[in-house]
Amino acid sequence: MKLPELETLYTLYRADLYRYLCHLTHDTAEAEDLLSETFLRALRRLPTFRGDCGVKTWLFGIARNIWLESLRKRRDTVSLDDPEAMLERCLGQDTLAEITDARRALERVRQVLERMNPRARQVVELRAQGYAYAEIARQLQITESSARVLEHRTRTALQQILQKEGY
């Protein structure tokens, strides 16, 4: 499979990748930085693209890896030899509770989605991964309009269920 020029790739996938990175980072400035890094890395790796997957999948994989690397780099390091600093860091941030709550909510979302119509679940999952409605429609062999309606109805139902449960 021949890979298109980088400029073409940028034009085709910039918006989807940016949305995906915004979803991951919750920070538009960071998403822009990671988007730039994604295309720089793609440029360096163009000769290694084997065509085992779609170009978009390849780019999204690069973006995800760059995001994961940025998370690893941001981790604060505290020496175990300084217990006061470690205690201050832990008490100064209530991240454990936030992470636990977020994981619990995410697990509940997965459980509720699992009980829903498989096609509707696929649409929501593909949108969360940054796919455009046209691509989802092609992949699931439905109309673009159906993909939009399925996503809207599924998200609305999911939101109502989670609100009733206090999420």
Side-chain angles (χ1 to χ4, degrees):
M1 173 181 192
K2 184 163 179 355
L3 200 59
E5 293 292 321
L6 188 64
E7 183 177 342
T8 305
L9 293 177
Y10 184 79
T11 303
L12 288 172
Y13 302 117
R14 173 186 42 88
D16 291 338
L17 280 166
Y18 177 70
R19 259 195 325 273
Y20 176 65
L21 290 166
C22 280
H23 171 75
L24 292 175
T25 63
H26 304 287
D27 180 357
T28 56
E30 184 179 1
E32 288 173 8
D33 291 342
L34 296 179
L35 180 67
S36 297
E37 181 62 31
T38 298
F39 281 100
L40 285 173
R41 190 167 298 172
L43 177 63
R44 286 193 300 265
R45 294 192 179 165
L46 279 174
T48 66
F49 180 72
R50 297 185 313 258
D52 297 342
C53 61
V55 175
K56 186 172 184 176
T57 303
W58 179 67
L59 287 170
F60 271 71
I62 292 172
R64 183 177 183 276
N65 288 336
I66 288 171
W67 171 68
L68 289 171
E69 289 169 14
S70 76
L71 289 179
R72 284 187 213 109
K73 288 177 185 174
R74 266 196 313 218
R75 284 187 187 152
D76 295 332
T77 55
V78 177
S79 171
L80 295 175
D81 297 333
D82 189 359
E84 287 178 19
M86 200 162 108
L87 181 62
E88 184 178 317
R89 178 174 172 243
C90 291
L91 293 177
Q93 302 173 359
D94 195 18
T95 56
L96 182 59
E98 291 172 8
I99 290 170
T100 303
D101 289 346
R103 284 186 180 161
R104 199 173 289 136
L106 181 61
E107 183 55 36
R108 184 61 187 135
V109 167
R110 284 187 182 131
Q111 290 170 354
V112 172
L113 277 174
E114 199 61 39
R115 293 193 325 247
M116 293 186 165
N117 174 322
R119 178 152 292 166
R121 182 177 60 245
Q122 285 177 309
V123 169
V124 170
E125 289 171 351
L126 290 170
R127 281 297 290 166
Q129 293 173 17
Y131 285 91
Y133 291 109
E135 293 170 300
I136 294 169
R138 263 194 315 277
Q139 187 173 349
L140 300 179
Q141 297 177 348
I142 59 176
T143 66
E144 193 173 327
S145 177
S146 294
R148 289 177 189 276
V149 169
L150 276 170
E151 182 201 21
H152 176 74
R153 288 181 181 167
T154 304
R155 285 182 183 264
T156 301
L158 181 62
Q159 187 176 23
Q160 290 172 349
I161 290 168
L162 294 175
Q163 281 178 342
K164 285 180 185 175
E165 295 177 0
Y167 286 98

Coordinates of all heavy atoms in Angstrom, one line a residue, residues 21 24-25 30-31 33-42 44-45 59-73:
L21 N -6.9 13.8 20.4 CA -5.9 14.2 21.4 C -6.6 15.1 22.4 O -6.2 15.1 23.6 CB -4.7 14.9 20.7 CG -3.8 13.9 19.9 CD1 -2.9 14.7 19.0 CD2 -3.1 13.0 20.9
L24 N -8.2 12.9 24.9 CA -7.2 12.3 25.8 C -6.6 13.2 26.8 O -6.5 12.9 28.0 CB -6.1 11.6 25.0 CG -6.4 10.5 24.1 CD1 -5.2 10.0 23.3 CD2 -6.9 9.3 24.9
T25 N -6.3 14.4 26.4 CA -5.6 15.4 27.2 C -6.5 16.3 28.0 O -6.1 16.8 29.0 CB -4.6 16.2 26.4 OG1 -5.3 17.0 25.5 CG2 -3.6 15.4 25.7
E30 N -2.1 21.4 24.8 CA -1.3 20.2 24.8 C -1.7 19.3 23.6 O -0.8 18.7 23.0 CB -1.5 19.4 26.1 CG -0.7 18.2 26.2 CD -0.9 17.4 27.5 OE1 -1.7 17.8 28.3 OE2 -0.2 16.3 27.6
A31 N -3.0 19.3 23.3 CA -3.4 18.5 22.1 C -2.7 19.0 20.8 O -2.3 18.2 20.0 CB -4.9 18.6 22.0
D33 N 0.2 20.6 20.6 CA 1.6 20.1 20.7 C 1.8 18.7 20.3 O 2.6 18.3 19.5 CB 2.2 20.3 22.1 CG 2.3 21.8 22.5 OD1 2.3 22.7 21.5 OD2 2.5 22.1 23.7
L34 N 0.9 17.8 20.8 CA 0.9 16.4 20.5 C 0.6 16.1 19.1 O 1.2 15.2 18.5 CB 0.0 15.6 21.5 CG 0.4 15.7 23.0 CD1 -0.6 14.9 23.8 CD2 1.8 15.2 23.2
L35 N -0.3 16.9 18.5 CA -0.6 16.8 17.1 C 0.6 17.1 16.2 O 0.9 16.3 15.3 CB -1.8 17.7 16.7 CG -2.3 17.7 15.3 CD1 -2.9 16.3 15.0 CD2 -3.3 18.8 15.0
S36 N 1.3 18.2 16.5 CA 2.5 18.5 15.8 C 3.5 17.4 15.9 O 4.1 17.0 14.9 CB 3.1 19.8 16.3 OG 2.2 20.8 16.2
E37 N 3.7 16.9 17.1 CA 4.7 15.8 17.3 C 4.2 14.5 16.6 O 5.1 13.8 16.0 CB 4.8 15.5 18.8 CG 5.8 14.4 19.2 CD 7.2 14.7 18.7 OE1 7.6 15.9 18.7 OE2 7.9 13.7 18.4
T38 N 2.9 14.3 16.5 CA 2.4 13.1 15.8 C 2.8 13.2 14.3 O 3.3 12.2 13.7 CB 0.9 13.0 15.9 OG1 0.5 12.9 17.2 CG2 0.3 11.9 15.1
F39 N 2.6 14.3 13.7 CA 3.0 14.4 12.3 C 4.5 14.5 12.0 O 5.0 14.0 11.0 CB 2.3 15.6 11.6 CG 0.9 15.3 11.3 CD1 -0.2 15.7 12.1 CD2 0.5 14.5 10.2 CE1 -1.5 15.4 11.8 CE2 -0.8 14.2 9.9 CZ -1.8 14.7 10.7
L40 N 5.2 15.0 13.0 CA 6.7 14.9 12.9 C 7.2 13.5 12.9 O 8.0 13.1 12.1 CB 7.4 15.7 14.0 CG 7.3 17.3 13.8 CD1 7.9 17.9 15.1 CD2 8.1 17.7 12.6
R41 N 6.6 12.7 13.9 CA 7.0 11.3 14.0 C 6.6 10.5 12.8 O 7.3 9.7 12.3 CB 6.5 10.7 15.3 CG 7.1 9.3 15.5 CD 6.8 8.8 16.9 NE 7.4 9.6 17.9 CZ 7.2 9.5 19.2 NH1 6.4 8.5 19.6 NH2 7.8 10.2 20.1
A42 N 5.4 10.9 12.3 CA 4.9 10.2 11.1 C 5.8 10.4 9.9 O 6.1 9.5 9.1 CB 3.5 10.6 10.7
R44 N 9.0 11.0 10.0 CA 10.2 10.2 10.2 C 10.0 8.7 9.9 O 10.9 8.0 9.5 CB 10.8 10.4 11.6 CG 11.4 11.7 11.9 CD 12.2 11.7 13.2 NE 11.4 11.5 14.3 CZ 10.8 12.4 15.1 NH1 11.0 13.7 14.8 NH2 10.1 12.1 16.1
R45 N 8.8 8.3 10.1 CA 8.5 6.9 10.0 C 7.8 6.5 8.7 O 7.4 5.4 8.5 CB 7.6 6.4 11.2 CG 8.4 6.5 12.5 CD 7.7 5.8 13.6 NE 8.4 5.9 14.8 CZ 7.9 5.6 16.0 NH1 6.7 5.2 16.1 NH2 8.7 5.7 17.0
L59 N -1.8 6.5 12.1 CA -1.6 7.8 12.7 C -2.1 7.9 14.1 O -1.5 8.5 15.0 CB -2.2 8.9 11.8 CG -1.5 9.2 10.5 CD1 -2.4 10.1 9.6 CD2 -0.2 9.9 10.8
F60 N -3.3 7.3 14.3 CA -3.9 7.3 15.7 C -3.0 6.5 16.6 O -2.9 6.9 17.8 CB -5.3 6.8 15.6 CG -6.4 7.8 15.4 CD1 -6.5 8.4 14.1 CD2 -7.2 8.2 16.4 CE1 -7.4 9.3 13.9 CE2 -8.2 9.2 16.1 CZ -8.3 9.8 14.9
G61 N -2.4 5.5 16.2 CA -1.5 4.7 17.0 C -0.3 5.6 17.4 O 0.2 5.6 18.6
I62 N 0.3 6.3 16.5 CA 1.4 7.2 16.8 C 0.9 8.3 17.8 O 1.6 8.5 18.8 CB 1.9 7.9 15.5 CG1 2.6 6.8 14.6 CG2 2.9 9.0 15.8 CD1 2.9 7.4 13.2
A63 N -0.2 8.9 17.6 CA -0.7 9.9 18.5 C -0.9 9.3 19.9 O -0.5 10.0 20.9 CB -2.1 10.5 18.0
R64 N -1.5 8.1 20.0 CA -1.7 7.5 21.3 C -0.3 7.3 22.0 O -0.2 7.6 23.2 CB -2.5 6.2 21.2 CG -2.8 5.6 22.5 CD -3.6 4.3 22.3 NE -4.0 3.8 23.6 CZ -3.2 2.9 24.3 NH1 -2.0 2.6 23.8 NH2 -3.6 2.4 25.4
N65 N 0.6 6.8 21.3 CA 1.9 6.5 21.9 C 2.6 7.8 22.3 O 3.2 7.8 23.4 CB 2.8 5.8 20.9 CG 2.4 4.3 20.7 OD1 1.8 3.8 21.5 ND2 2.7 3.8 19.5
I66 N 2.5 8.9 21.6 CA 3.1 10.2 21.9 C 2.4 10.7 23.2 O 3.0 11.2 24.1 CB 3.0 11.2 20.8 CG1 4.0 10.7 19.7 CG2 3.2 12.6 21.2 CD1 3.9 11.5 18.4
W67 N 1.0 10.5 23.3 CA 0.3 10.9 24.5 C 0.8 10.1 25.7 O 1.0 10.7 26.8 CB -1.2 10.8 24.3 CG -2.0 11.0 25.5 CD1 -2.2 12.1 26.2 CD2 -2.7 10.0 26.2 NE1 -3.0 11.9 27.3 CE2 -3.3 10.6 27.3 CE3 -2.9 8.6 26.0 CZ2 -4.1 9.9 28.2 CZ3 -3.7 7.9 26.9 CH2 -4.3 8.6 28.0
L68 N 0.9 8.8 25.5 CA 1.4 8.0 26.7 C 2.8 8.4 27.1 O 3.1 8.5 28.3 CB 1.4 6.5 26.3 CG 0.0 5.9 26.1 CD1 0.1 4.5 25.5 CD2 -0.7 5.9 27.5
E69 N 3.7 8.7 26.1 CA 5.0 9.2 26.4 C 5.0 10.5 27.2 O 5.7 10.7 28.2 CB 5.8 9.4 25.2 CG 6.2 8.1 24.5 CD 6.8 8.3 23.1 OE1 7.2 9.5 22.8 OE2 6.9 7.3 22.4
S70 N 4.1 11.4 26.8 CA 4.0 12.7 27.5 C 3.5 12.4 29.0 O 3.9 13.2 29.9 CB 3.0 13.6 26.8 OG 1.7 13.3 27.0
L71 N 2.6 11.5 29.2 CA 2.2 11.2 30.5 C 3.4 10.7 31.4 O 3.5 11.1 32.5 CB 1.1 10.1 30.5 CG -0.3 10.5 30.0 CD1 -1.2 9.4 30.1 CD2 -0.8 11.7 30.8
R72 N 4.1 9.8 30.8 CA 5.3 9.2 31.5 C 6.3 10.3 31.9 O 6.9 10.3 33.0 CB 6.0 8.1 30.7 CG 5.2 6.9 30.7 CD 6.0 5.7 30.0 NE 5.1 4.9 29.4 CZ 4.9 4.8 28.1 NH1 5.6 5.5 27.2 NH2 4.0 4.0 27.6
K73 N 6.5 11.2 31.0 CA 7.5 12.3 31.2 C 7.0 13.3 32.3 O 7.8 13.9 33.0 CB 7.7 13.1 29.9 CG 8.5 12.3 28.9 CD 8.7 13.1 27.6 CE 9.4 12.3 26.5 NZ 9.4 13.0 25.3

